[in-house]
């Protein structure tokens, strides 16, 4: 059971899924063969996108969600409201752990994520997150 209704009218889920699928075509994934595309919508209604970018130095590739966040920040966006991530077969792919942490910075626990389990909040995917406030609270 997801936290939000799949057909919640305020989020254009089919647009996000379609844009995410289109982004898989731009993915650079010659090593894993796993093409990933992501599309999200910001609090000002902008759609932002990203795809995974791998590297011959295997460990330094970047995920679609991380690149989406970079694209969003670089175009003036700061707050992500909803996100769809898909693999090359067009089906949702679940954000990895690092991506969950990265997304938390720009969407918080209320970020809506389209998953194979339904629409979940990032808070459901990343309970007890470490966020910006924790940095200030721990600074010496
Ligand atoms: N990948 C993503 O882009 N996002 C995720 O959340 C999971 C994994 C990418 C990384 C790598 O290029 C490929 O999928 C296989 O792990």
């Amino acid at each position: 059971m997801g936290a939000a209704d799949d057909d919640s009218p305020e989020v254009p889920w089919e647009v996000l899924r379609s844009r995410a699928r289109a982004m898989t075509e731009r993915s650079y994934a010659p090593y894993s063969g796993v093409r990933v595309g992501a599309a999200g919508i910001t609090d000002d209604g902008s759609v932002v996108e990203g795809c995974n970018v791998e590297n011959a130095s295997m460990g330094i590739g970047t995920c679609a969600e991380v690149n989406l966040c970079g694209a969003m920040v670089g175009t003036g966006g700061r707050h992500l409201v909803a996100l769809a991530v898909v693999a090359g077969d067009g089906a949702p792919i679940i954000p990895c752990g690092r991506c969950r942490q990265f997304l938390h910075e720009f969407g918080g626990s209320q970020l809506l994520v389209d998953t194979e389990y339904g629409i979940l909040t990032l808070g459901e995917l990343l309970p007890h997150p470490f966020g910006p406030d924790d940095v200030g609270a721990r600074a010496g």
Side-chain angles (χ1 to χ4, degrees), residues 17-91:
R17 290 169 186 140
S18 166
R19 297 274 290 259
R21 287 182 190 120
M23 284 304 288
T24 66
E25 300 290 323
R26 296 188 179 167
S27 156
Y28 179 73
Y31 304 106
S32 75
V34 181
R35 293 176 166 274
V36 183
I41 190 161
T42 66
D43 55 358
D44 70 0
S46 301
V47 173
V48 290
E49 303 164 322
C51 62
N52 59 331
V53 180
E54 299 185 347
N55 193 277
S57 179
M58 304 290 179
I60 68 168
T62 49
C63 287
E65 299 93 315
V66 170
N67 291 329
L68 175 150
C69 288
M72 179 184 72
V73 171
T75 53
R78 278 292 181 276
H79 191 76
L80 204 52
V81 171
L83 173 75
V85 190
V86 303
D89 63 0

Side-chain angles (χ1 to χ4, degrees), residues 100 109 122-130:
R100 296 178 196 196
S109 294
L122 186 60
E124 291 175 295
L125 292 171
L126 185 70
H128 311 296
F130 181 83

Side-chain angles (χ1 to χ4, degrees), residues 1 7 16 64 73 87 103 108 122 125:
M1 171 73 76
D7 54 20
L16 297 183
V73 171
L103 289 164
L122 186 60
L125 292 171

